[in-house]
Amino acid sequence: MATVGKVIKCKAAVAWEANKPLVIEEIEVDVPHANEIRIKIIATGVCHTDLYHLFEGKHKDGFPVVLGHEGAGIVESVGPGVTEFQPGEKVIPLFISQCGECRFCQSPKTNQCVKGWANESPDVMSPKETRFTCKGRKVLQFLGTSTFSQYTVVNQIAVAKIDPSAPLDTVCLLGCGVCTGFGAAVNTAKVEPGSTCAVFGLGAVGLAAVMGCHSAGAKRIIAVDLNPDKFEKAKVFGATDFVNPNDHSEPISQVLSKMTNGGVDFSLECVGNVGVMRNALESCVQGWGVSVVVGWTDLHDVATRPIQLIGGRTWKGSYFGGFKGKHDVPQMVKAYLDKKVKLDEFITHRMPLESVNDAIDLMKNGKCIRTILSLE
């Protein structure tokens, strides 16, 4: 490619500060350094975690930044030491690393990795080093990916090579939301055939959790959300019941307990709200109920009465659905191509990058499941 070995100027949506609209700017993207890959982003989803950083987390050192972490693209060039990837290959950049060497990567118990932004600057939600500049200023790369840019540079330990036949403007959803929800059900909760489940929050992550429960063979899947318009969509992914907490005067945990003879076997919180996390736990049956925290937040403590756990319930957390990114994301792409996993059904809107603020407004107002931005 004519761009190899040169700084690339391209369009990106820059968040100059918290609580402000993103601005389409021309940025400079440096050449890939050792062990890095420069990727031409074709499409990206807009995820709630992008909005969390912009409107809730708002860390003072986290701006300016290019958001976006649910993208897919094509390798443009590689830096020294990269042998696994070649220009022209289809890839999904990952916000979770897999170095393959650390004690976490060597263990089947976790998808954590000691390398990557999460261990360097978790509060800022971006690595300290960046390959982006704009108007003479350093611009951070959100979660090490920054898919709201036509080009990005990512370390090879955080890139998954995928099937060359995969449609990038659809499988980009596997870069975050769908893997996070689906994996929380099948990998973290380990939902069992014939079980009863409750999923709190019916955004893309929650709907993917519903799909995961269904895939695992749950016989009853109760979808919980304040928006009744989402139930028809939830049924597409396997939900059997819908409960709107606003329709009841008693706590939602009591409502679910009465519906299920004492509580559900598995619950998944896909909102990122500590109050909902407690409700999800307390909706589980005592003795063996498992509740999984999936929604992202780091603003408040989460609490419950000790007896809830002493009685035999298990409270777990799930990060990217327990999937090891480089290894498992290609398998999820294959599952989609084999029609074992739904993706198209999550997409409610498609827009150009220039409409990114409209996409953000749709998500803020609960008017979409996933909006796909085209960067071509």
Side-chain angles (χ1 to χ4, degrees), residues 312-328:
R313 296 177 181 87
T314 300
W315 214 355
K316 305 175 75 174
S318 186
Y319 186 55
F320 195 52
F323 285 116
K324 289 181 182 286
K326 286 176 66 70
H327 178 268
D328 292 331

Side-chain angles (χ1 to χ4, degrees), residues 197-203 206-207 210 221-228 230-231 234 239-248 251-253 255-256 259 264 266-271 276 279-280 283:
C197 303
V199 176
F200 290 73
L202 298 177
L207 292 173
V210 169
I221 304 169
I222 304 169
V224 182
D225 200 283
L226 299 175
N227 184 352
K230 292 185 175 180
F231 184 45
T240 58
D241 302 76
F242 180 78
V243 177
N244 184 343
N246 287 339
D247 293 340
H248 302 271
I252 187 64
S253 58
V255 174
L256 294 182
M259 289 176 63
V264 299
F266 301 94
S267 70
L268 298 105
E269 190 279 347
C270 302
V271 179
V276 179
N279 288 335
S283 297

Side-chain angles (χ1 to χ4, degrees), residues 190-219:
K190 293 181 168 55
V191 170
E192 299 167 354
S195 61
T196 297
C197 303
V199 176
F200 290 73
L202 298 177
V205 173
L207 292 173
V210 169
M211 180 170 66
C213 293
H214 180 72
S215 176
K219 71 175 180 180

Side-chain angles (χ1 to χ4, degrees), residues 116-355:
W117 70 270
N119 290 287
E120 181 183 287
S121 48
D123 294 339
V124 177
M125 299 187 75
S126 299
K128 296 175 182 176
E129 199 169 358
T130 177
R131 302 291 172 248
F132 292 170
T133 55
C134 182
K135 297 180 178 178
R137 295 181 63 184
K138 180 176 78 170
V139 177
L140 297 174
Q141 292 183 242
F142 186 61
L143 305 188
T145 55
S146 287
T147 56
F148 290 178
S149 172
Q150 291 179 313
Y151 286 86
T152 191
V153 178
V154 183
N155 192 290
Q156 64 177 340
I157 65 173
V159 180
K161 186 191 302 184
I162 62 173
D163 192 303
S165 67
L168 296 176
D169 61 355
T170 302
V171 298
C172 58
L173 295 178
L174 294 171
C176 183
V178 174
C179 281
T180 295
F182 187 85
V186 300
N187 297 329
T188 309
K190 293 181 168 55
V191 170
E192 299 167 354
S195 61
T196 297
C197 303
V199 176
F200 290 73
L202 298 177
V205 173
L207 292 173
V210 169
M211 180 170 66
C213 293
H214 180 72
S215 176
K219 71 175 180 180
R220 191 176 186 190
I221 304 169
I222 304 169
V224 182
D225 200 283
L226 299 175
N227 184 352
D229 294 338
K230 292 185 175 180
F231 184 45
E232 287 304 314
K233 179 67 78 170
K235 286 200 292 188
V236 171
F237 294 98
T240 58
D241 302 76
F242 180 78
V243 177
N244 184 343
N246 287 339
D247 293 340
H248 302 271
S249 58
E250 57 189 348
I252 187 64
S253 58
Q254 294 180 24
V255 174
L256 294 182
S257 180
K258 291 177 180 178
M259 289 176 63
T260 57
N261 189 31
V264 299
D265 301 305
F266 301 94
S267 70
L268 298 105
E269 190 279 347
C270 302
V271 179
N273 179 291
V274 295
V276 179
M277 292 172 189
R278 179 172 185 166
N279 288 335
L281 173 71
E282 296 176 2
S283 297
C284 286
V285 66
Q286 65 177 358
W288 62 75
V290 174
S291 186
V292 180
V293 175
V294 189
W296 179 274
T297 186
D298 193 27
L299 298 178
H300 308 287
D301 291 341
V302 64
T304 191
R305 294 290 181 91
I307 192 64
Q308 296 291 336
L309 301 175
I310 293 170
R313 296 177 181 87
T314 300
W315 214 355
K316 305 175 75 174
S318 186
Y319 186 55
F320 195 52
F323 285 116
K324 289 181 182 286
K326 286 176 66 70
H327 178 268
D328 292 331
V329 168
Q331 299 305 311
M332 286 292 285
V333 171
K334 184 177 187 301
Y336 166 70
L337 295 174
D338 292 342
K339 302 188 184 307
K340 295 178 181 178
V341 169
K342 299 180 190 297
L343 288 182
D344 301 80
E345 292 81 357
F346 288 92
I347 302 170
T348 53
H349 299 77
R350 291 184 181 275
M351 299 178 177
L353 177 64
E354 289 80 0
S355 299

Side-chain angles (χ1 to χ4, degrees), residues 54-93:
L54 188 62
F55 300 116
E56 297 177 57
K58 300 183 291 187
H59 194 283
K60 63 181 179 62
D61 296 326
F63 299 87
V65 63
V66 173
L67 298 173
H69 62 285
E70 195 176 70
I74 298 169
V75 176
E76 177 269 341
S77 61
V78 301
V82 176
T83 58
E84 181 184 350
F85 298 88
Q86 301 296 325
E89 292 179 329
K90 289 185 177 181
V91 293
I92 292 179

